[in-house]
Amino acid sequence: MPTPSWQDVAATAQEFRDASIGRIQPPVSDLPQDLPRNVTSIPKRVLTRDEVLITETVPEELVSSLASGKLSSTAVVNAFLRRAVVAQKLTNCITELLPEEALSRAEFLDEYYAEHRSPIGPLHGLPISVKEHIGMKGKGLNAGFVSWWDRKGEEDSHVLRILWRAGCVFYARTTQPQTLMHLETSSNLYGVTVNPFNRDLTSGGSSGGEGALIGLRGSCLGIGSDIGGSIRSPAANCGLYGFRPSSYRVPVQGWTVTMSSEEQILGVIGPLSTSLEGIKLFMKTIVSAKPWLVEPSCLPLPWKNLGLEQAVGHGKKLRVAVLWSDNVVKPHPPITRALTEVVNKLKNVPAVELVDWKPYNHDEAWEIIASLYFADGAHEETDAINASGEPWRPLSKFIIQENPYVKHLSVEEIWKWTGRREEYRCKYAEIWNQTATSTGPHGEPADMVDVILAPVGPGAAPPLDCAKYWGYTSQWNLLDYPALVFPVSKVDSNVDDIEEGYEPMNEKDAFNYRLSSLVLPRQWSNIPEAGATFNNLQPRALPNAPNGYTPERLDCPSTRPTVRDAGDLSDSEKQWLDTRLGKTIDPMRDLLQRINIPSFDGPSYITTNENNRSALPNIGIAMSGGGYRALLNGAGVIAAFDGREQNATSPGHIGGLLQSATYLSGLSGGGWLVGSLFMNNFTTVSDSLNDPSNTIWQFDQSIFEGPDRGKIQLLDTADYFKTIQNQVTDKRDAGFNRSVTDYWGRALSFQLINATDGGPAYTWSSIALADNFKQGDTPFPVLVADGRAPDELLISGNTTVYEFNPFELGTWDPTTYGFVPVEFLGSNFSNGELAPGVQCVRGFDNAGFIMGTSSSLFNQFLLNVNTTSIPSFAKDFITDILTSIGQDNNDIADYTPNPFYGYRNSTSRNAQSGRLTLVDGGEDLQNIPLHPLIQPNRQVDVIFAVDSSADTDNVWPNGTSLVATYQRNLNSSGIGNGTSFPSIPDTNTFVNLGLNTRPTFFGCNSSNTTSMTPLIVYIPNHPYVFQSNVTTFTSSYNTSARNAMVQNGYNVATMGNATVDPQWPVCVGCAILSRSLERTETQVPRACEECFQRYCWDGTTNSTRPGPYEPSFKGQALLVSGAATNLRGNGLVAVVAAVVVGLMIVVVI
């Protein structure tokens, strides 16, 4: 039989891997074909809530839940197996999954627990992933070489035997590079493993398979190895904790490496984890097993779990030395910034003393270690590569063929270099001892530096095949110091930039400096697309208008559209509800499980009633108007409600509420938020903020200036205005009226829609065509506008409130009381029908135009152009528009021809007008869009009403919106039309009683109303970490202020991540359940009674005129500067999630 080619062997290896993945049941859902660069959010889209919850739990909490029986090992292992499948598909990090062995082991452990009611060991049931070259009996041991593919482990390696006895489950084996000697992970057997935060960059190496897998939470604890940075590099690149112990602490018997018996530079085995406690758990388990009894070279030192005072001595400070640069290669700006952030925090810790560390000849250290790595001239590596005919990977060439220190050493030369190694170690120890500030009882140095704080590498994760500087990690291998990596920050495109004019110190430094032009986000446009979209923003790919912004008359469908009576929900909404309500059950169950209402089993309650959907809670969310202030404050709230966001499902958070909600309404700035999220495929807030291409939400560029020229938006200010003018002019030339709202909506689209020129062909009705909406994976979006003829005075009692939803435009009010298909707006309806032969219009429902309609008050921006700094030609352009349209009509959006012409002539105010003119939905003072959510047909139980209004002199809310809705429902004209709304006090009472300083519940006692009334959870804007009372007509925000606004909104929703009130998440759960408990006649839990006592308005009033309302901060104020600030709180990461920056601590033990 002929010897198989290396390609055949590689194909076999990959088929073997794929077969192991194929045995995972049920199969994992298909992933998007065009993956974004940042894929960290994708697992949440394809896994169940339980699987996400389990896999995003840190190891110490998992072992606790497993040891208590709260979780079964089978459930945990299944979840990690399935998430590992997703991680493999996204980053190529797996060599083999072990479903049969893992599940059999898990079943055994569950049976053991059931019998003994105690865990088998400290790692009972915990899944652990393993780098491939750490031996498993009967499993492959190729170390990245094609020619070693058929090597098998004769027995489990020593470290695995210890972990197995402690109760763990091995379920995944991970990739490594050719030779194991790369700071990346690339082999001819499996290809390249990429970084989950940016797939154009490396995950690190050589334990990069572990880095990528754990970075995507396909593992929470994994085993890597390190001889020059192979644990620390992946940990830093993927935002993890990683520990390189000193040699002889963790047993290595049973692994496969080249030159396995050389002793000059020793490789070590160590952990990578999602938490620091995970690192401790691994090390304590290994050392407690006394590995020196089996492997005598291991040091017989017990594990010490010391507190700070025990470690440094009573009354003494922890002395931290800071290594800013090794004086060979200067770190990139993000690394220095992260180091500075940590140092600044440590300065505020009284028990810490900081000193600078001066590096000693780190270039010499590389010369020594590089000479000792391959004492045989790399013959074993060369033979292993050449044996199969496989090509040399670029970094294999770099570290061996292009490395001037790789030479075949004689015995005498090995002695010489080993001697230099010891001399260097002694010199470094001498320098360390010189930091002593006292002497011990025998004259020995004492009170020295305890740790060195240093960069892990010279930059964040580099592009593929560019990780060529080892000095920041190999330094500590040469010295054999233990080193711990911990995550700090992420590259921030608004702060981190190339250091212009820098003169490199040497060629290595020059190479690293050139790399900065590829890895710093402002230069990402130079990185090849590699077939991927640019970022996590998902263009909806439904620009379905037939002619861009210009509506077009086309043949009607066979069933011609008509205006329908508003007596019920549309058939389309009913059908959608059947799907959506089923999709809210799991996230609601998960949310209640995490909230954990005392003495009440929320998940079981949902399970018991899941087949009776009328019994289950029906949730609505309403986002108020208020310009960019409302968009950003509301974005923070949505992020807090969104279970897809980082940390949103952690303790004290309420992520999953968005996934549990049925309806999401928006108005004005809140409508921009809702519209932008849906027009970008219901993306997350963090993805909208963290868009490295600067496509959307870039509010530092005023709407008068147009977008910054970037990847998608390529226009300067002149072309920006010209493009908008041409688009609107084309609409007019096609025979349709134009209004200032056309221009306003087009300008908004450039800021809110991820598409060229603001997506002129994107329509509101296309939301109904998106798969995630059709499948019920999103709430039902509704925008609100008011009907008003030009010059008509508008007050809440006489206003017809219109809504735009994915299917229809219309109103529930008894005036017009009808709905028309939004897809066919612009068509010439009369008496509710299209006359025979009349064509249908499509493309009138432009998404930007509808978002602009709901915020037409912002046409006042355009009316105040003379106060702005925009170019004179732009001022002339806007002035010409206002002159031609007429300033008296400046705030209307013109929906001519009126789709309700001749419809309900006896009650409709504009039935005989050929024009339907709509305005900002907040002009009637109902600035929170509650109207769609209180309609009896929708049967909403609880409405989370987010108020970003500017009611007070200092631009804070005071309940005016709620008062307006309440008074409208009391109006004797019957405009409320059967809606029911809870009692609301006057605005003075709001301020005097502090109801606008915290969440307040209205309508807690439903017996006070004669019909079904939703509970209102009022969430007012308030300063937690930022003075978010920015004026409504502020037209630009720098990135720092933008992020701070969002962070403040997150804190508003979570009450500072439950730091203001630890019971707030429980109270949110009680509000969700309140009406449902009534319908099912279930006893209200005691904890909920306490919540209602705390948050429900009890009817007390104080209508005296309050003094100036100037609320104080409830949290630590963020420092916001003219430049962007990395605003990373306990919840939302409001910065570019491109590549992770970690730091390293090295110590002498």
Side-chain angles (χ1 to χ4, degrees), residues 849-872:
F849 183 59
I850 287 177
M851 287 189 282
T853 298
S854 184
S855 59
S856 58
L857 183 63
F858 280 79
N859 296 335
Q860 292 185 25
F861 268 140
L862 303 180
L863 300 180
N864 295 320
V865 292
N866 288 327
T867 65
T868 70
S869 60
I870 66 172
S872 58

Side-chain angles (χ1 to χ4, degrees), residues 86 145 364 533 648 921 1086 1120:
V86 179
F145 297 112
E364 178 187 355
T533 55
R1086 175 64 181 168
V1120 176

Side-chain angles (χ1 to χ4, degrees), residues 586-786:
D586 283 343
M588 197 179 306
R589 184 163 35 220
D590 293 345
L591 176 61
L592 292 172
Q593 180 175 353
R594 285 184 279 105
I595 286 174
N596 191 22
I597 299 173
S599 302
F600 180 76
D601 191 342
S604 294
Y605 176 81
I606 298 299
T607 300
T608 299
N609 293 285
E610 65 180 321
N611 294 322
N612 179 13
R613 292 182 182 177
S614 64
L616 292 176
N618 191 8
I619 303 171
I621 302 170
M623 313 304 295
S624 84
Y628 295 102
R629 178 188 66 250
L631 184 154
L632 296 172
N633 180 62
V637 175
I638 289 295
F641 289 173
D642 191 345
R644 299 171 296 174
E645 295 284 7
Q646 183 176 351
N647 293 331
T649 56
S650 300
H653 299 251
I654 50 179
L657 197 156
L658 180 64
Q659 284 70 27
S660 304
T662 308
Y663 292 98
L664 175 61
S665 64
L667 180 157
S668 191
W672 306 348
L673 169 64
V674 174
S676 184
L677 295 179
F678 274 87
M679 296 317 296
N680 295 298
N681 203 34
F682 198 58
T683 191
T684 62
V685 167
S686 60
D687 282 347
S688 300
L689 291 170
N690 301 340
D691 169 20
S693 63
N694 295 333
T695 304
I696 64 168
W697 292 27
Q698 302 304 308
F699 303 132
D700 53 338
Q701 294 287 126
S702 165
I703 199 165
F704 295 119
E705 301 173 80
D708 193 10
R709 299 180 72 174
K711 176 176 179 291
I712 290 182
Q713 312 294 11
L714 303 174
L715 308 178
D716 59 22
T717 301
D719 287 338
Y720 164 70
F721 277 101
K722 184 177 180 180
T723 298
I724 291 174
Q725 182 180 34
N726 290 342
Q727 290 171 348
V728 178
T729 299
D730 288 345
K731 177 178 177 179
R732 180 200 63 187
D733 292 346
F736 297 91
N737 288 4
R738 61 173 179 157
S739 59
V740 177
T741 301
D742 283 287
Y743 298 93
W744 175 245
R746 292 310 309 127
L748 279 176
S749 297
F750 277 83
Q751 293 186 324
L752 302 178
I753 298 177
N754 180 34
T756 303
D757 294 347
Y762 283 70
T763 63
W764 190 254
S765 58
S766 72
I767 293 174
L769 304 177
D771 287 340
N772 57 6
F773 178 81
K774 290 192 296 185
Q775 294 165 6
D777 293 329
T778 75
F780 192 83
V782 185
L783 299 193
V784 170
D786 290 338

Side-chain angles (χ1 to χ4, degrees), residues 107-318:
E107 182 179 357
F108 164 78
L109 292 169
D110 289 339
E111 291 173 353
Y112 180 95
Y113 187 89
E115 179 180 352
H116 298 278
R117 307 309 299 171
S118 64
I120 201 169
L123 302 181
H124 180 96
L126 183 69
I128 293 180
S129 52
V130 184
K131 190 176 180 180
E132 191 272 351
H133 79 112
I134 298 171
M136 287 187 180
K137 184 175 182 179
K139 304 296 182 186
L141 278 178
N142 58 67
F145 297 112
V146 174
S147 64
W148 288 12
W149 158 248
D150 55 358
R151 293 192 179 190
K152 305 292 181 183
E154 295 181 0
E155 62 178 356
D156 288 337
S157 60
H158 187 184
V159 67
L160 298 190
R161 297 199 302 272
I162 293 173
L163 297 172
W164 181 269
R165 288 195 298 270
C168 83
V169 179
F170 300 120
Y171 70 105
R173 308 183 74 213
T174 56
T175 53
Q176 65 223 340
Q178 183 186 60
T179 76
L180 295 173
M181 295 295 284
H182 299 192
L183 289 182
E184 300 186 21
T185 300
S186 165
S187 76
N188 292 315
L189 280 169
Y190 300 105
V192 177
T193 302
V194 296
N195 192 306
F197 289 90
N198 185 326
R199 296 172 70 252
D200 283 341
L201 308 180
T202 179
S203 63
S206 63
S207 307
E210 287 297 321
L213 179 65
I214 302 173
L216 276 170
R217 301 306 186 258
S219 173
C220 64
L221 181 61
I223 310 173
S225 59
D226 192 310
I227 197 171
S230 294
I231 289 172
R232 290 158 290 159
S233 159
N237 289 359
C238 298
L240 308 172
Y241 294 85
F243 183 56
R244 180 233 177 246
S246 45
S247 56
Y248 303 121
R249 284 296 271 161
V250 176
V252 297
Q253 183 188 68
W255 69 356
T256 289
V257 294
T258 55
M259 298 185 296
S260 59
S261 298
E262 69 90 18
E263 296 183 322
Q264 280 64 48
I265 303 296
L266 294 173
V268 299
I269 287 173
L272 297 92
S273 181
T274 54
S275 73
L276 179 59
E277 291 301 316
I279 300 293
K280 294 180 182 178
L281 180 64
F282 176 92
M283 290 301 300
K284 182 179 180 180
T285 301
I286 295 298
V287 176
S288 297
K290 299 182 179 181
W292 50 85
L293 297 178
V294 175
E295 203 167 321
S297 59
C298 290
L299 298 174
L301 294 175
W303 177 256
K304 297 178 181 179
N305 193 17
L306 301 178
L308 178 60
E309 186 169 307
Q310 294 173 294
V312 301
H314 178 69
K316 295 183 179 181
K317 293 185 176 183
L318 179 71

Side-chain angles (χ1 to χ4, degrees), residues 1071-1109:
I1072 291 171
L1073 289 168
S1074 177
R1075 297 295 191 255
S1076 176
L1077 295 175
E1078 292 179 14
R1079 286 195 297 274
T1080 59
E1081 299 181 349
T1082 300
Q1083 177 69 38
V1084 177
R1086 175 64 181 168
C1088 290
E1089 292 178 349
E1090 294 172 354
C1091 285
F1092 296 148
Q1093 291 173 2
R1094 186 178 313 162
Y1095 287 103
C1096 290
W1097 176 57
D1098 61 3
T1100 302
T1101 61
N1102 180 353
S1103 301
T1104 59
R1105 183 174 181 177
Y1109 178 63

Side-chain angles (χ1 to χ4, degrees), residues 16-36:
F16 180 82
R17 174 201 61 202
D18 295 345
S20 73
I21 291 171
R23 295 197 298 275
I24 305 300
Q25 294 298 325
V28 175
S29 302
D30 290 337
L31 304 184
Q33 289 186 346
D34 293 326
L35 293 172

Side-chain angles (χ1 to χ4, degrees), residues 47-70:
L47 299 175
T48 68
R49 291 292 160 188
D50 283 342
E51 290 165 351
V52 171
L53 182 64
I54 288 171
T55 53
E56 296 190 356
T57 301
V58 291
E60 64 272 19
E61 293 181 8
L62 277 178
V63 293
S64 176
S65 295
L66 287 160
S68 66
K70 183 178 179 181

